[in-house]
């Protein structure tokens, strides 16, 4: 039997879950016959389920209560509001039941659910899976009797529609943070969607000058005694309410009265409720100190309508008092009587004014009941000669589709212009430290819809304010979370599609933001008989579009959020299937040098858990990025490759896994040089050497040893660097690989230089001089400079430190010449540093300062942090000799910050030794002595003998003066 039970995930939905249970039900029915037990509890449970279903919920019987899911099967932007309203109605209606009135507990929680079909031996039923179910059940178990208890997430989704108060927290071991709990007291009176959503005050108002001007033109006609009206039409969140209230609150209107009617999704079945609720609120507000009751006040207003028939008067009064009139309305004259009632309501609204111009606001007309729509239509007919402006908002044009309305100006509210959207984002972020890239992502995702802009910015600001994740900002569009107020709005639009179109949209969403037209059609062919028809249907409905013109080869989502929400709605297993189908379509021709195409191949192999294919594709993307000098992107690709390789390291062929891992690490090593993350490069080089042993790759193993030698030179004990580099050089000479010999010789020369063994540094280059001077004169070795400049300039530095200036001059000229040939910033800067070190040792102040300033500018401009540190020390020394202490300090501080950030002990010692001499030139002898003593430990620990000897001489000399050059 177990084999017949299957759970097939269909969609992921943002929902609110309600658990409602009858308290002590077991005690109530424990001794009853089963049929009597059903008779006893059935009416209450039926009431629970029918109440929830009236608000669009899917309900399930739980034995002694009900489970209701709001927001499924169709997405509902008001799922939380409807759930709370249903819960309050259940408690109220149960209290009115005949006989024993059972106590109940109700708990609500909201979040993402997996909506599934559960197949078993008795057939098929809908199932809901996810932590939200368990949490809602736990909240219900903690709830007080006959009080609606909800989580903080429900309050966040529902906005400010209900009165509530905190009642503690729910600790769940599986969650990092406790869940805040609230009890709902009641629904607030006369709260509009606009006012319930202003949770952080009004945001800056931008970009609506044209629409405002049309509304002010309408108001100008009111002043002359002629009524007017405007209907603002636009999608959810586009800013209709904000535009309307900016106008209504404007001082330009002068003295006037405002009456506001709010239609909501909760009240669509209640006839005339937006009208009666607003009038009731208006009458109570007009004289809050008066003892005259609402009924008496309403009677006074009705008295001014002299020609109202008594039957109409009674019906009108009953709408407010909820007391049915005594006379019965016959079926024959029902339509006539209803017309009289609508006319009377419209006249009553107009009679409320005190003579001043009036603004009548009707919000969210798309949710209005038929009676309210009729009243609005009648008002439009009655205002021609009155000083009344009617302002309506709606998401659609249904209201004007029934016929022409001469006084109604239809204003379509579009997305913000690009400049206005950028300005809104800038004003909302307001010095939050968010860079332009993130601001650009917000603009892209929001589709320039003001509400969406606000919600994305609030999410970003919440991240910045989160102590647990300081400054954790998204790096890509894909990393942006969809705000909880935005997702249901977009999901509702997707759920409005027919089943086939929705299925097609989800597949397209899995594919990404844009597609090659032919690839899209080919991918959809496996699912649909006419894939092209499905795509064109989505284009006609405004969800997809051609990128450029009608004949373009690229089809994309018109709105990035449609793609993100569509993707999120697809369960994981179906995503895998779609990703694999797309991968097969894209990878028919194998690897290409088109980076965009290979990114898609890699992403879909990854999404389909085809780890081996994904690793290969990511490695290829990384190599293509290196060729384009896009090193940050390359780092990301190689990291993704390593993640995929890690998934298969225990399953696939060990040799193949090692080979792929080596390829990724070698690419990552090259890509990381630009970032200056030398500790990671060292770690990667060691990992690579271990892999080389496994697959027997001698050349790569030597290359890894050379990398370790270079990294050890600047990071830690230079004696280890010498040992590793010597070993690498021996192996390179044995292998006969001349490029590896040159690299190993440079690594050894650099290590010997930092060790203070300048003759050994010279010797390492001398043994392979032809390789540097001729064989590899202008050969590019990756992200740094040519190997020739690295080797020859290093030897020049060693000659200079040893006082052999004739030899150093020759090498410097050669290095500068090669740098001119290669045109590489690294080569030019390194050669200029060699010139500066020589000038420093020869006390040629102006020549050295000029060379080192140029080297620093070049390095800084090219982002070569290593050479910024290298050039800063001799430049600071020379500037100090000229008593230009401010610039010397600036140069040193910048270099030290970089060296410490990258944890480069060698450069930190190099720079701090220079600082000792700057202090000496400033005659701050005690400070110089203290710093020198502190620095000795670092130099001794890491084998920086040259720096150590220099510091010891400084410490021991009774007077310092100009003698510091003599330390060499």
């Amino acid at each position: 039997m177990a084999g017949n039970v299957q759970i097939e995930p269909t969609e992921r939905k943002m929902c609110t879950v309600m658990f409602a249970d009858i308290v002590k039900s077991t005690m109530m029915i424990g001794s009853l016959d089963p049929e009597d037990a059903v008779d006893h509890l059935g009416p209450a449970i039926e009431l629970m389920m029918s109440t929830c279903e009236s608000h669009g919920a899917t309900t399930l019987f739980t034995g002694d209560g009900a489970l209701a899911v709001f927001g499924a099967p169709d997405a509902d932007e008001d799922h939380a509001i409807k759930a709370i309203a249903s819960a309050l109605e259940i408690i109220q209606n149960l209290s009115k039941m005949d006989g024993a009135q059972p106590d109940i507990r109700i708990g609500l929680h909201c979040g993402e659910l997996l909506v599934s079909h559960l197949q078993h031996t008795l057939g098929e039923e809908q199932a809901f899976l996810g932590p939200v179910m368990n949490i809602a059940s736990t909240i219900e178990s903690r709830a007080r009797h006959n009080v609606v208890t909800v989580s903080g997430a429900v309050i966040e989704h529902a906005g400010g529609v209900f009165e509530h108060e905190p009642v503690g927290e729910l600790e769940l071991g599986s969650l990092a943070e406790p869940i805040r709990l609230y009890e709902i007291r009641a629904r607030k009176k006369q709260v509009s969607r606009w006012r319930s959503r202003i949770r952080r005050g009004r945001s800056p108002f931008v970009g609506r000058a044209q629409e405002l001007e049309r509304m002010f033109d309408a108001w100008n006609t009111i002043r002359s005694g002629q009524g007017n009206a405007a209907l603002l039409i636009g999608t959810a969140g586009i800013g209709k309410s904000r535009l309307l209230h900016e106008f209504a609150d404007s001082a330009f209107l002068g003295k006037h009265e405002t009456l506001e009617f709010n239609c909501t999704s909760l009240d669509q079945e209640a006839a005339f409720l937006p009208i009666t609720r607003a009038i009731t609120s208006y009458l109570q507000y007009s004289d809050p100190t008066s003892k005259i009751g609402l009924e008496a006040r309403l009677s006074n207003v009705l008295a001014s309508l002299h020609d109202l028939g008594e039957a109409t008067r009674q019906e009108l009064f009953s709408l407010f008092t909820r007391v049915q009139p005594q006379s019965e309305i016959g079926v024959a004259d029902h339509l006539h009587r209803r017309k009289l009632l609508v006319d009377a309501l419209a006249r009553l609204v107009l009679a409320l004014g005190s003579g001043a111009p009036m603004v009548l606001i009707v919000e969210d007309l798309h949710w209005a009941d038929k009676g309210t729509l009729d009243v609005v239509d009648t008002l439009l007919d009655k205002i021609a000669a009155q000083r009344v402006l009617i302002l309506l908002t709606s998401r659609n044009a249904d209201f004007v589709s029934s016929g022409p309305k001469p006084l109604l100006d239809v204003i379509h509210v579009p997305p913000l212009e690009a400049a206005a959207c950028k300005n809104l984002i800038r004003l909302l972020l307001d010095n939050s430290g968010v860079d332009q890239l993130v601001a650009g992502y917000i603009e892209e995702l929001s589709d320039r819809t003001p509400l969406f802009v606000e919600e994305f910015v609030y999410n970003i600001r919440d991240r910045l304010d989160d102590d647990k994740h300081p400054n954790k900002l998204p790096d890509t569009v894909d990393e942006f979370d969809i705000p909880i107020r935005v997702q249901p709005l977009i999901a509702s639009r997707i759920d409005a599609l027919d089943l086939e179109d929705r299925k097609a949209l989800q597949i397209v969403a899995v594919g990404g933001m844009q597609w090659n037209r032919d690839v899209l059609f080919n991918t959809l062919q496996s699912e649909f008989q006419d894939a092209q028809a499905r795509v064109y249907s989505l284009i006609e409905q405004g969800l997809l579009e051609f990128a450029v013109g009608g004949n373009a080869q690229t089809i994309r989502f018109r709105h990035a959020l449609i793609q993100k929400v569509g993707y999120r709605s697809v369960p994981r297993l179906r995503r895998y299937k779609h990703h694999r189908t797309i991968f097969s379509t894209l990878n028919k021709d194998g690897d290409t040098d088109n980076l965009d195409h290979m990114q898609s191949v890699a992403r879909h192999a990854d999404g389909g858990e085809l780890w081996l294919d994904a690793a290969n594709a990511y490695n290829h993307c990384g190599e293509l990025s290196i060729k384009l000098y896009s090193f940050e992107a390359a780092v990301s690709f190689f990291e993704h490759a390593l993640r995929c390789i890690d998934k298969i390291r225990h399953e696939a062929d060990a040799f193949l896994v090692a080979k792929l891992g080596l390829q990724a690490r070698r690419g990552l090593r090259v890509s990381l040089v630009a970032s200056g993350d030398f500790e990671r490069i060292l770690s990667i080089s060691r990992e690579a050497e271990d892999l080389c042993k496994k697959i027997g790759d001698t050349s790569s193993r030597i290359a890894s040893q050379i990398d370790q030698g270079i990294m050890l030179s600047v990071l830690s004990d230079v004696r280890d660097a010498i040992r590793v580099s010597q070993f690498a050089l021996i192996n390179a000479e044995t292998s006969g690989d001349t490029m590896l010999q040159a690299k190993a010789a440079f690594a050894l020369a650099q290590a010997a230089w930092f060790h203070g063994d300048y003759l050994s540094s010279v010797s390492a280059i001398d043994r392979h001089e032809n390789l540097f001077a001729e064989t590899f004169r202008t050969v590019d070795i990756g992200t740094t400079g040519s190997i020739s400049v690295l080797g020859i300039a290093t030897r020049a530095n060693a000659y200079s430190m040893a006082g052999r200036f004739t030899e150093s001059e020759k090498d410097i000229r050669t290095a500068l010449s090669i740098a001119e040939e290669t045109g590489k910033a690294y080569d030019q800067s390194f050669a200029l540093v060699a010139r500066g070190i020589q000038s420093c040792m020869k006390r040629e102040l102006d020549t050295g300062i000029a060379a080192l300033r140029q080297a620093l500018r070049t390095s800084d401009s090219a982002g070569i942090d290593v050479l910024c540190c290298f050039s800063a020390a001799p430049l600071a020394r020379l500037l100090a000799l000229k008593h230009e202490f401010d610039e010397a300090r600036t140069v040193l501080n910048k270099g030290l910050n970089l060296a410490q950030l990258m944890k480069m002990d060698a450069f930190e010692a190099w720079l701090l030794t220079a600082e000792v001499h700057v202090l000496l030139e400033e005659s701050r002898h005690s400070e110089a002595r203290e710093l020198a003593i502190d620095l000795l430990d670092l130099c001794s620990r890491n084998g920086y003998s040259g720096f150590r000897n220099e510091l010891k001489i400084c410490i021991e000399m009774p007077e310092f003066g100009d003698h510091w050059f003599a330390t060499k």
Side-chain angles (χ1 to χ4, degrees), residues 208 237-239 415-416 424 428 446 448-455:
R208 296 301 189 195
I238 205 68
L416 293 171
L424 175 60
L428 286 171
S446 68
R448 303 203 299 273
T449 300
L451 173 66
F452 298 172
V453 170
E454 291 178 29
E455 293 300 325

Side-chain angles (χ1 to χ4, degrees), residues 434-468:
V434 175
D435 60 30
Q436 289 301 309
L437 185 63
V438 173
Y441 291 153
I442 294 173
E443 181 182 357
E444 178 182 348
L445 284 168
S446 68
D447 197 34
R448 303 203 299 273
T449 300
L451 173 66
F452 298 172
V453 170
E454 291 178 29
E455 293 300 325
F456 275 109
V457 170
Y458 292 151
N459 273 18
I460 291 296
R461 296 188 74 97
D462 288 344
R463 285 197 189 202
L464 292 172
D465 294 339
D466 188 349
D467 294 336
K468 294 182 177 60

Side-chain angles (χ1 to χ4, degrees), residues 669-688:
R669 177 259 181 269
V670 173
S671 308
L672 283 168
V673 170
S675 72
D677 192 348
F678 296 130
E679 281 195 321
R680 191 162 179 214
I681 293 173
L682 178 60
S683 175
I684 289 168
S685 299
R686 286 169 171 162
E687 292 171 7

Side-chain angles (χ1 to χ4, degrees), residues 701-722:
R701 185 180 178 191
I702 297 169
S704 299
Q705 293 168 348
I706 293 169
D707 287 341
Q708 292 173 56
I710 294 171
M711 295 303 107
L712 286 169
S713 291
V714 296
L715 289 175
S716 56
D717 196 330
V718 75
R719 290 161 296 201
D720 288 339
I722 291 171

Side-chain angles (χ1 to χ4, degrees), residues 441 443-447 477-478 505-517 520 539 542-547 553-567 579 582 586 596 600 603-604:
Y441 291 153
E443 181 182 357
E444 178 182 348
L445 284 168
S446 68
D447 197 34
V477 168
D478 291 339
L505 181 132
Q506 288 176 336
I507 296 174
V508 180
V510 172
M513 189 61 195
Q514 65 179 31
W515 286 74
N516 173 274
R517 175 178 172 169
L520 176 56
I539 291 174
L543 301 170
L544 303 179
E545 65 181 1
F546 288 103
Q553 286 301 306
T554 299
I555 294 174
R556 68 186 182 191
F557 278 91
R558 288 192 66 181
H559 187 197
L561 275 176
I562 293 287
Q563 187 269 329
K564 286 182 73 70
V565 175
Y567 182 85
H579 277 303
I582 298 167
L586 292 171
D596 289 337
S600 297
R603 187 167 67 85
H604 291 298

Side-chain angles (χ1 to χ4, degrees), residues 225-436:
Q226 178 183 340
N228 219 326
L231 170 61
L232 306 180
I233 295 178
T235 58
I238 205 68
K240 305 180 295 296
S241 295
R242 179 61 188 278
L243 177 58
L244 183 153
H245 286 279
E246 285 293 327
F247 168 80
D249 295 343
S250 171
F252 175 80
L253 301 186
K255 184 179 180 181
H256 71 284
E257 290 192 72
T258 300
L259 188 58
E260 187 174 341
F261 307 92
N262 298 290
C263 308
T264 74
S265 61
L266 286 176
D267 304 324
Q268 290 176 283
E269 304 302 321
F272 306 111
L273 186 57
I275 306 294
T276 58
R277 189 167 53 206
I279 292 175
T280 300
S281 176
Y282 180 88
L283 292 176
Q284 291 174 326
Y285 178 77
S286 61
D287 186 6
T289 62
S290 173
K291 296 180 180 179
I292 300 176
L294 173 62
E295 295 181 11
R297 177 66 176 152
L298 184 61
S299 296
N300 289 338
V301 179
L302 292 175
S304 66
L305 306 179
H306 304 292
D307 56 345
L308 278 185
E310 185 57 31
T312 303
R313 185 181 295 272
Q314 287 186 29
E315 288 180 44
L316 189 60
F317 196 81
S318 72
L319 287 176
F320 294 89
T321 62
R322 300 301 173 186
V323 176
Q324 294 300 317
Q326 296 296 321
S327 62
E328 295 185 0
I329 300 176
V331 175
D333 65 346
H334 173 76
L335 292 178
H336 176 67
R337 298 285 291 273
R338 187 178 185 282
K339 184 177 180 181
L340 291 176
L341 179 61
V342 168
D343 184 76
L345 270 173
R347 293 171 62 193
L348 177 60
V349 169
L350 295 175
L352 294 175
S354 61
M358 178 180 282
V359 178
L360 299 181
I361 294 173
V362 185
E363 287 256 41
D364 296 320
L365 207 60
H366 49 277
W367 278 323
D369 62 276
K370 180 64 166 58
T372 299
L373 289 174
D374 289 342
V375 171
V376 172
D377 202 38
T378 302
L379 283 168
L380 289 173
D381 293 335
K382 291 182 175 296
I383 61 171
Q386 301 198 44
R387 294 196 298 170
V388 175
L389 175 63
I390 300 177
L391 298 177
L392 314 170
T393 70
S394 179
R395 294 181 186 174
N396 55 54
D398 292 349
F399 182 68
V400 294
S401 62
S402 58
K405 296 176 173 56
L407 290 180
L408 187 64
D409 181 18
V410 178
I411 302 174
H412 290 275
V413 184
L416 293 171
E417 295 290 338
C421 184
K422 286 182 173 63
N423 189 32
L424 175 60
I425 295 169
R426 180 183 61 80
L427 292 170
L428 286 171
L429 289 173
D430 187 26
N431 300 321
S432 60
V434 175
D435 60 30
Q436 289 301 309

